[in-house]
Amino acid sequence: MSSSGFASQNGAGGSYTNGPSQNPVGVYPSAQGLMAPPLPGYMNSLPTKGPPPTGPGFSSRNQPSPVAPPASPGLRAPPQASSTPPPISSYSQHPPQPSGWSGVTSAPLAPPAAPGLRAPPQASATPPPISSYSQHPPPPSGWSGVTSAPPTAPGLGAPPQASATPPPINSYSQHPPPPSGWSGVTSAPVAPPAAPGLRAPPVGNHVSGGTSTPPVFQNTMQPPAALQHAALYPAPPPQMTRPMGSSYPSLQPAYHSPPAPPQLHPQPVSQLSPSLAALSLQSQPPEALRVVNLLQERRLLPPGPVTPPTPCLPQDLQKLNCCPEVFRCTLTSIPQTQALLNKAKLPLGLLLHPFKDLSEEPITALALHSQLPVVTSSNIVRCRSCRTYINPFVTFVDARRWKCNLCHRVNDVPEEFMYNPVSRSYGAPHKRPEVQNATIEFIAPSEYMLRPPQPAVYLFVLDVSHNAVETGYLEVVCQSLLDNLDSLPGDTRTKIGFITFDSTIHFYNLQEGLSQPQMLIVSDIDDVFIPTPDSLLVNLSECKELVQDLLASLPQMFSRTMETQSGLGPALQAAFKLLSPTGGRMSVFQTQLPTVGIGALRPREEPSQKPSQKAAPKEVQHLNPATDFYKKLALDCSGHHVAVDLFLLSAQYCDLSSLGCISRYSAGSVYYYPSYHKQHSPAQTERFQKDLKRYLTRKIGFEAVMRIRCTKGLSIHTFHGNFFVRSTDLLSLANVNPDAGFAVQMSIEENLLDLQMVSFQAALLYTSSKGERRIRVHTLCLPVVNSLTDIFAGADVQAITALLASMAVDRCVSASLGDARDALINAAIDTLASYRASVLSIQQPGLLAPACLRLFPLYILALLKHKAFRTSAGSRLDERLFCMCQLKSQPLLYLMLMIHPSLYRVDDLSDEGALNISERTIPQPRALQLSVEQLSRDGAFLMDCGTVLYLWVGRSCSPVFLTQVLGVESYTALPLLMNQLPELDTAESSRLRALIDWLRERRPFHPVLHVIRDESPLKAELLQNLIEDLSESALSYYEFLLHLQQQICK
Ligand SMILES: [Zn+2]
């Protein structure tokens, strides 16, 4: 293994950064650890954030500011109450109707009839009416980016907006330039402080001497199923460090545990740092620090879902903190210094799901967080220095002044803020909704817009080549649009248009007054022009009949086409020209490699990436785009508030690494349906239909920007997701959708020595589909600690895994797949080594981890076996690229299922411990370890991989399950391909269907169900997800642990 880490991921290499990135650091010397200290000299190059703000408040310096008790006596309503001014702001706790936060939405966004996709019952079922959050969970969105470029980027980046449309872009940024604050300095390249990455991976193959007595492994307990699959894994992986030659069963240790040594708590709670100890410890159980010997502990998974750690804050503050599904940090205790962070070898970063719709969340625990307060105010209170929005974590110095929790400036409380519209009382500014809610939405006054908010504009760009027509996708799209035309988010201004293309481009005149749609063909694709610009994007309500006519006739219009060429590039150029005056959403459907005109591509897939190939590739080529055409066009789109969503439906190689750029840099989404065919792949058709419905009806925000601020001393290092980076802390999102996730790597530029806590604030400014300018603000507050023990105690293993996954994707692109894999392994080694060396006070044998990180090696192994990073033969390039897209743009919740699926036994479901949601009883089986050991032949098991569900039925499965749930008389009667459970009127059937429906409706994409038996072709896919087992090209979990142990003890 070569030495490598994650350092160079910043900016992900030249071709992926859109311009001189905020992370201009190239490839680090390859001897650094994941969190290695900055290189000598490197600090000198750190851009400063400009002179510290010198406002009056700031000069009150670093006094650790005790957080204002929410109801401090000093703040009680001053006597002037009588002079209560008229309420300038109105505060609506819940916009009237359940579906729309904008308060105007009439279209129920919850698709009524899609049982799988987002079953409506749930929304309504939710006991506490979560009325006003936005309505959608995240779908598989696009390709992620590490992008980052100041608008001045020369060359590639030259973000169009800088030159082309100065006004729109800059004007929309939510902040009038602050007088002195650091946010005005944002164009300085952000430097990566923590050179995460490159530690020389000590991959030696010798077992370290004497540190541990490895547990004895016995092979006697192999269940029959395991033996049965043994033949599937013939070759031991090359990198194994154990003696070779064992057959699979012998590699599957039974984890025989010697009598457990007495539990040690080497770092009892009393050793927590004073700052932590001073805070309430209620929320941080010492369980997080329980020492676990991974080599001995067999059952790692908790009975229920893995929950994020609770920040160690005083309870009154924690109660107000942002919901972890919206905003969380890899470390819920922030290290005081970068040096301390480097020592912990853990990545510091944020995971965001900023436009998440909590209204569909059925879980009551979330309901607490899920009402979105909406405030209308002519004066949104913000820090005069850094422009932070007032939030629950500011301090009221006295009745008339508040201290910013990000830059520490003391600001005046505006007169109108003294009045509380909720309680209708005067003089208690700390009771205002802005100070009581970590997530809040403002309806923005006119100063937040430079042009009138744009209408909702939707343009559909459809591939109608022979190949496309043959897949039958066009009928599905047209029908879905016909069905959902009235549910497209928008108002009376909503516009719609269509372009189709093969080797030529076809426009459709839908102008009011025509008796039928008029097709206009432009065959000169080298110099595309728009034939009748005014009649191609039309008002939906005025021209609805023509639109319906077109949708009804489109599938037939091309049914006999023999045109095989695809001029996608020119079609995109035309679409951009059409949309650029307004901005809007471009939905592109493509079924093959573009072959003519600008942006044409050639097949690049290596033979080893074809499914027929047996040998695993050592390295994967062509992860980088073949042309910068799509990226440049995406930047033009972004500059004109146009986002491009790409639906790729193809059995052949389409070069997703090139095409994906169009969505990645324009803040769009990518959907991928490999081998889509209406007849041959009914499951994909079902998924495509459900996804489309969700896509067409989910909430959307236009001409959006998102700024992330953090307490002075912390800074942003790299962004992950689909967007264009406008400046160090500002992302352009031409569209924002409720299903998009983002990740942000952070660094500690200045020591946080005098701070007890720090805050992060994400502000998303967007135009709603009803034409309102709105700002959604999320604020997260976390404690600062000064000991490694405390840092480890607050580690959020899922967030860490997700951030590392994004970093590894960048690494693949900037360096190589092998480098990325090494870096992932090193992340696990470094972290556990640091824990052993610096936190454990009593050395003991074994591979030790704190309980809060016990799943870390397992998750890292899961990533190594994930389609994005695996080295096995037959991994298609586009599939790999798509998985990489997902890793960078899925919200954490769904991402974790894609990384580490959930496995349940389902032939013996009971109501014990079941959830009861609006009169439905939903069984909650225990999650099992992902090993073939768990699959017993006499049972049936459900594996939830996020986008796919596998129901594996054992050969000796009970007849009751076969007849009562599957509706077949015997195992052999079970069809090889089955994608639906029969609706039988039995308790067993209802239980399983309730469970599957519940799993499906909690996510924004539609997972397909495959019922499989031993003879099914899909069985291999199921087995590939059993990540604890040895596979053709990767270690078993136990072997992986041994490898880590060797490296750590070396
Ligand atoms: Zn401030």
Side-chain angles (χ1 to χ4, degrees), residues 667-696:
S669 312
V670 176
Y671 295 80
Y672 180 46
Y673 304 86
S675 314
Y676 180 88
H677 194 281
K678 204 177 170 200
Q679 266 93 48
H680 308 155
S681 55
Q684 292 231 29
T685 306
E686 179 194 348
R687 182 161 77 90
F688 181 50
Q689 281 170 330
K690 298 266 164 80
D691 285 355
L692 260 184
K693 178 174 181 131
R694 161 80 184 171
Y695 173 76
L696 293 172

Short mmCIF file of all heavy atoms in Angstrom, two decimals, residues 667-696:
data_model
loop_
_atom_site.label_atom_id
_atom_site.label_comp_id
_atom_site.label_asym_id
_atom_site.label_seq_id
_atom_site.Cartn_x
_atom_site.Cartn_y
_atom_site.Cartn_z
N ALA A 667 -25.74 22.53 -9.13
CA ALA A 667 -26.57 22.18 -7.97
C ALA A 667 -27.78 21.35 -8.37
O ALA A 667 -28.85 21.45 -7.79
CB ALA A 667 -27.00 23.42 -7.19
N GLY A 668 -27.61 20.52 -9.39
CA GLY A 668 -28.69 19.61 -9.77
C GLY A 668 -28.55 18.25 -9.10
O GLY A 668 -27.77 18.08 -8.18
N SER A 669 -29.31 17.30 -9.61
CA SER A 669 -29.27 15.94 -9.07
C SER A 669 -29.03 14.97 -10.23
O SER A 669 -29.36 15.26 -11.36
CB SER A 669 -30.61 15.55 -8.43
OG SER A 669 -31.07 16.55 -7.57
N VAL A 670 -28.46 13.82 -9.89
CA VAL A 670 -28.28 12.78 -10.90
C VAL A 670 -29.10 11.55 -10.49
O VAL A 670 -29.05 11.12 -9.33
CB VAL A 670 -26.80 12.37 -11.03
CG1 VAL A 670 -26.66 11.21 -12.00
CG2 VAL A 670 -25.95 13.55 -11.48
N TYR A 671 -29.86 11.04 -11.44
CA TYR A 671 -30.58 9.78 -11.24
C TYR A 671 -30.05 8.79 -12.27
O TYR A 671 -29.80 9.16 -13.41
CB TYR A 671 -32.08 9.97 -11.47
CG TYR A 671 -32.76 10.90 -10.48
CD1 TYR A 671 -32.67 12.28 -10.62
CD2 TYR A 671 -33.49 10.38 -9.41
CE1 TYR A 671 -33.30 13.13 -9.72
CE2 TYR A 671 -34.12 11.22 -8.51
CZ TYR A 671 -34.02 12.60 -8.67
OH TYR A 671 -34.64 13.42 -7.78
N TYR A 672 -29.91 7.55 -11.85
CA TYR A 672 -29.32 6.58 -12.76
C TYR A 672 -30.10 5.28 -12.72
O TYR A 672 -30.34 4.72 -11.64
CB TYR A 672 -27.86 6.35 -12.34
CG TYR A 672 -27.10 5.36 -13.19
CD1 TYR A 672 -27.15 5.42 -14.58
CD2 TYR A 672 -26.29 4.39 -12.60
CE1 TYR A 672 -26.43 4.52 -15.35
CE2 TYR A 672 -25.56 3.49 -13.36
CZ TYR A 672 -25.63 3.57 -14.74
OH TYR A 672 -24.91 2.68 -15.50
N TYR A 673 -30.51 4.83 -13.90
CA TYR A 673 -31.26 3.58 -14.01
C TYR A 673 -30.54 2.69 -15.01
O TYR A 673 -30.86 2.68 -16.20
CB TYR A 673 -32.70 3.86 -14.47
CG TYR A 673 -33.40 4.83 -13.54
CD1 TYR A 673 -33.28 6.21 -13.74
CD2 TYR A 673 -34.13 4.38 -12.44
CE1 TYR A 673 -33.87 7.11 -12.87
CE2 TYR A 673 -34.72 5.27 -11.57
CZ TYR A 673 -34.58 6.65 -11.79
OH TYR A 673 -35.15 7.52 -10.92
N PRO A 674 -29.56 1.95 -14.54
CA PRO A 674 -28.79 1.14 -15.47
C PRO A 674 -29.71 0.08 -16.08
O PRO A 674 -30.59 -0.46 -15.41
CB PRO A 674 -27.71 0.51 -14.59
CG PRO A 674 -28.17 0.67 -13.19
CD PRO A 674 -29.14 1.80 -13.14
N SER A 675 -29.50 -0.20 -17.32
CA SER A 675 -30.28 -1.23 -18.01
C SER A 675 -31.78 -0.97 -17.97
O SER A 675 -32.58 -1.89 -17.94
CB SER A 675 -30.03 -2.62 -17.41
OG SER A 675 -28.67 -2.82 -17.23
N TYR A 676 -32.13 0.28 -18.01
CA TYR A 676 -33.56 0.57 -17.98
C TYR A 676 -34.23 0.07 -19.25
O TYR A 676 -33.78 0.34 -20.37
CB TYR A 676 -33.79 2.09 -17.87
CG TYR A 676 -35.26 2.43 -17.83
CD1 TYR A 676 -35.94 2.46 -16.63
CD2 TYR A 676 -35.97 2.67 -19.01
CE1 TYR A 676 -37.29 2.73 -16.59
CE2 TYR A 676 -37.32 2.94 -18.97
CZ TYR A 676 -37.98 2.97 -17.76
OH TYR A 676 -39.31 3.23 -17.72
N HIS A 677 -35.29 -0.66 -19.09
CA HIS A 677 -36.12 -1.03 -20.24
C HIS A 677 -37.52 -1.33 -19.74
O HIS A 677 -37.71 -2.06 -18.78
CB HIS A 677 -35.55 -2.24 -20.98
CG HIS A 677 -36.19 -2.40 -22.33
ND1 HIS A 677 -37.43 -2.95 -22.50
CD2 HIS A 677 -35.75 -2.05 -23.57
CE1 HIS A 677 -37.74 -2.95 -23.79
NE2 HIS A 677 -36.74 -2.40 -24.46
N LYS A 678 -38.49 -0.73 -20.42
CA LYS A 678 -39.85 -0.83 -19.93
C LYS A 678 -40.32 -2.28 -19.81
O LYS A 678 -41.00 -2.63 -18.85
CB LYS A 678 -40.78 -0.05 -20.86
CG LYS A 678 -42.03 0.38 -20.14
CD LYS A 678 -42.93 1.21 -21.02
CE LYS A 678 -44.27 1.40 -20.31
NZ LYS A 678 -45.32 1.76 -21.25
N GLN A 679 -39.95 -3.10 -20.78
CA GLN A 679 -40.39 -4.49 -20.69
C GLN A 679 -39.44 -5.36 -19.88
O GLN A 679 -39.86 -6.16 -19.06
CB GLN A 679 -40.53 -5.10 -22.09
CG GLN A 679 -41.93 -5.02 -22.66
CD GLN A 679 -42.06 -3.75 -23.49
OE1 GLN A 679 -41.22 -3.46 -24.32
NE2 GLN A 679 -43.12 -2.99 -23.25
N HIS A 680 -38.16 -5.19 -20.13
CA HIS A 680 -37.21 -6.14 -19.55
C HIS A 680 -36.87 -5.88 -18.10
O HIS A 680 -36.34 -6.75 -17.42
CB HIS A 680 -35.91 -6.15 -20.38
CG HIS A 680 -36.16 -6.35 -21.83
ND1 HIS A 680 -35.31 -5.93 -22.81
CD2 HIS A 680 -37.21 -6.91 -22.48
CE1 HIS A 680 -35.82 -6.21 -24.00
NE2 HIS A 680 -36.97 -6.81 -23.83
N SER A 681 -37.10 -4.70 -17.63
CA SER A 681 -36.74 -4.44 -16.24
C SER A 681 -37.89 -3.74 -15.51
O SER A 681 -37.83 -2.55 -15.24
CB SER A 681 -35.47 -3.59 -16.17
OG SER A 681 -35.64 -2.40 -16.93
N PRO A 682 -38.92 -4.51 -15.22
CA PRO A 682 -40.11 -3.92 -14.60
C PRO A 682 -39.80 -3.25 -13.25
O PRO A 682 -40.39 -2.23 -12.92
CB PRO A 682 -41.05 -5.12 -14.41
CG PRO A 682 -40.21 -6.34 -14.57
CD PRO A 682 -39.06 -5.96 -15.44
N ALA A 683 -38.83 -3.81 -12.53
CA ALA A 683 -38.52 -3.22 -11.22
C ALA A 683 -37.95 -1.82 -11.38
O ALA A 683 -38.28 -0.89 -10.64
CB ALA A 683 -37.54 -4.11 -10.47
N GLN A 684 -37.10 -1.66 -12.41
CA GLN A 684 -36.54 -0.33 -12.65
C GLN A 684 -37.62 0.64 -13.12
O GLN A 684 -37.58 1.83 -12.83
CB GLN A 684 -35.45 -0.41 -13.71
CG GLN A 684 -34.25 -1.15 -13.21
CD GLN A 684 -32.99 -0.35 -13.46
OE1 GLN A 684 -33.01 0.86 -13.49
NE2 GLN A 684 -31.88 -1.05 -13.60
N THR A 685 -38.56 0.13 -13.91
CA THR A 685 -39.64 0.99 -14.36
C THR A 685 -40.45 1.49 -13.17
O THR A 685 -40.79 2.67 -13.08
CB THR A 685 -40.56 0.22 -15.33
OG1 THR A 685 -39.77 -0.33 -16.37
CG2 THR A 685 -41.61 1.13 -15.92
N GLU A 686 -40.70 0.57 -12.25
CA GLU A 686 -41.45 0.96 -11.05
C GLU A 686 -40.68 2.04 -10.28
O GLU A 686 -41.24 3.06 -9.86
CB GLU A 686 -41.65 -0.28 -10.17
CG GLU A 686 -42.39 0.00 -8.87
CD GLU A 686 -42.28 -1.15 -7.88
OE1 GLU A 686 -41.83 -2.24 -8.26
OE2 GLU A 686 -42.65 -0.94 -6.70
N ARG A 687 -39.40 1.80 -10.14
CA ARG A 687 -38.60 2.77 -9.40
C ARG A 687 -38.57 4.12 -10.12
O ARG A 687 -38.72 5.18 -9.51
CB ARG A 687 -37.16 2.23 -9.26
CG ARG A 687 -36.24 3.15 -8.47
CD ARG A 687 -35.01 2.40 -7.98
NE ARG A 687 -34.02 2.17 -9.00
CZ ARG A 687 -33.01 3.01 -9.28
NH1 ARG A 687 -32.90 4.15 -8.63
NH2 ARG A 687 -32.13 2.72 -10.21
N PHE A 688 -38.42 4.07 -11.43
CA PHE A 688 -38.38 5.30 -12.22
C PHE A 688 -39.69 6.07 -12.08
O PHE A 688 -39.70 7.29 -11.88
CB PHE A 688 -38.11 4.93 -13.69
CG PHE A 688 -38.01 6.09 -14.63
CD1 PHE A 688 -37.18 7.17 -14.35
CD2 PHE A 688 -38.72 6.11 -15.82
CE1 PHE A 688 -37.07 8.24 -15.22
CE2 PHE A 688 -38.62 7.18 -16.70
CZ PHE A 688 -37.80 8.24 -16.40
N GLN A 689 -40.81 5.37 -12.14
CA GLN A 689 -42.11 6.03 -12.00
C GLN A 689 -42.26 6.71 -10.65
O GLN A 689 -42.67 7.86 -10.54
CB GLN A 689 -43.24 5.01 -12.17
CG GLN A 689 -43.51 4.66 -13.61
CD GLN A 689 -44.45 3.47 -13.74
OE1 GLN A 689 -44.48 2.59 -12.87
NE2 GLN A 689 -45.21 3.44 -14.82
N LYS A 690 -41.90 5.97 -9.62
CA LYS A 690 -42.05 6.52 -8.27
C LYS A 690 -41.09 7.70 -8.05
O LYS A 690 -41.47 8.71 -7.46
CB LYS A 690 -41.77 5.43 -7.23
CG LYS A 690 -42.73 4.25 -7.32
CD LYS A 690 -43.89 4.43 -6.38
CE LYS A 690 -45.07 3.53 -6.67
NZ LYS A 690 -44.92 2.18 -6.18
N ASP A 691 -39.87 7.52 -8.51
CA ASP A 691 -38.90 8.61 -8.35
C ASP A 691 -39.35 9.86 -9.09
O ASP A 691 -39.21 10.98 -8.59
CB ASP A 691 -37.52 8.19 -8.88
CG ASP A 691 -36.80 7.21 -7.96
OD1 ASP A 691 -37.33 6.94 -6.86
OD2 ASP A 691 -35.72 6.71 -8.33
N LEU A 692 -39.90 9.65 -10.29
CA LEU A 692 -40.35 10.79 -11.09
C LEU A 692 -41.46 11.56 -10.39
O LEU A 692 -41.48 12.79 -10.37
CB LEU A 692 -40.90 10.30 -12.42
CG LEU A 692 -40.01 10.40 -13.65
CD1 LEU A 692 -40.79 9.95 -14.87
CD2 LEU A 692 -39.49 11.81 -13.84
N LYS A 693 -42.36 10.81 -9.84
CA LYS A 693 -43.48 11.46 -9.17
C LYS A 693 -42.97 12.35 -8.02
O LYS A 693 -43.36 13.49 -7.87
CB LYS A 693 -44.44 10.41 -8.62
CG LYS A 693 -45.58 11.03 -7.88
CD LYS A 693 -46.61 10.01 -7.46
CE LYS A 693 -47.72 10.74 -6.77
NZ LYS A 693 -49.02 10.38 -7.26
N ARG A 694 -42.07 11.76 -7.27
CA ARG A 694 -41.47 12.52 -6.18
C ARG A 694 -40.74 13.76 -6.73
O ARG A 694 -40.87 14.87 -6.22
CB ARG A 694 -40.50 11.61 -5.43
CG ARG A 694 -39.47 12.33 -4.59
CD ARG A 694 -40.06 12.77 -3.30
NE ARG A 694 -39.13 13.56 -2.51
CZ ARG A 694 -39.48 14.20 -1.40
NH1 ARG A 694 -40.72 14.14 -0.97
NH2 ARG A 694 -38.61 14.89 -0.74
N TYR A 695 -39.98 13.52 -7.78
CA TYR A 695 -39.18 14.59 -8.36
C TYR A 695 -40.05 15.75 -8.83
O TYR A 695 -39.76 16.92 -8.60
CB TYR A 695 -38.38 14.02 -9.54
CG TYR A 695 -37.63 15.05 -10.34
CD1 TYR A 695 -36.46 15.63 -9.86
CD2 TYR A 695 -38.09 15.47 -11.59
CE1 TYR A 695 -35.77 16.57 -10.59
CE2 TYR A 695 -37.41 16.42 -12.34
CZ TYR A 695 -36.25 16.97 -11.83
OH TYR A 695 -35.58 17.92 -12.54
N LEU A 696 -41.15 15.40 -9.49
CA LEU A 696 -42.00 16.45 -10.07
C LEU A 696 -42.75 17.23 -9.00
O LEU A 696 -43.07 18.40 -9.19
CB LEU A 696 -43.00 15.83 -11.05
CG LEU A 696 -42.38 15.22 -12.31
CD1 LEU A 696 -43.43 14.47 -13.12
CD2 LEU A 696 -41.73 16.31 -13.16
#
